Amino acid sequence: MNWRDHLRKRLLEIQPESVCALDAAALQLAGEVLPGTPLRTPAPLPDSPCSLAFGIDALNGLNAEQAQHLISQTRLYVAPRILLVVQSGCVLDEAAFRALGFTLSAADPAAGLRIHDYDLDTYKTVPDWL
């Protein structure tokens, strides 16, 4: 399965109530896959959080500090769930995404892309004593 097919499948599985598209490519794909779902962009910040923040080209051209800032701001103010496509040249490596609470959803080595998921509800397991 190529990365675009995987993204379509993930969007249909998640079935978000609203989507904040972090870039034009994400806006277009989300509109195709989820035609009845409200779509927003992060600027200006939505009045209320969206169900999902979705980015395909959002991290392209950013340095590590800018990429981490975008992810942090998105988690705090835009959506509790994030779906990101990451190109092989991204300044954040696999370990950085794990440290930020992301899981690897899929990888397409031929295209040089990885897809990472973040979900506030499941990023950390609850200890037995809690």
Side-chain angles (χ1 to χ4, degrees):
M1 177 182 307
N2 72 31
W3 65 275
R4 283 197 178 272
D5 291 339
H6 180 79
L7 282 177
R8 285 182 177 92
K9 180 182 170 196
R10 288 295 297 139
L11 288 170
L12 291 171
E13 287 172 355
I14 295 169
Q15 282 296 310
E17 292 178 16
S18 59
V19 175
C20 180
L22 301 175
D23 54 71
L27 184 65
Q28 181 180 354
L29 186 63
E32 291 171 10
V33 176
L34 305 166
T37 303
L39 299 175
R40 301 178 186 150
T41 59
L45 284 175
D47 295 336
S48 60
C50 294
S51 300
L52 174 72
F54 175 46
I56 294 176
D57 297 325
L59 300 180
N60 294 354
L62 300 181
N63 64 34
E65 184 178 327
Q66 292 168 326
Q68 288 177 339
H69 180 73
L70 174 66
I71 290 168
S72 297
Q73 294 298 308
T74 301
R75 278 195 303 216
L76 288 172
Y77 302 113
V78 178
R81 190 164 198 174
I82 304 171
L83 183 61
L84 284 176
V85 175
V86 181
Q87 294 186 4
S88 60
C90 181
V91 293
L92 300 179
D93 61 6
E94 199 71 34
F97 277 99
R98 273 194 310 277
L100 290 167
F102 282 82
T103 57
L104 181 64
S105 176
D108 187 344
L113 298 170
R114 299 182 320 265
I115 299 172
H116 291 275
D117 267 313
Y118 171 84
D119 188 346
L120 180 64
D121 292 337
T122 60
Y123 87 100
K124 186 175 180 181
T125 56
V126 178
D128 293 339
W129 55 267
L130 188 56

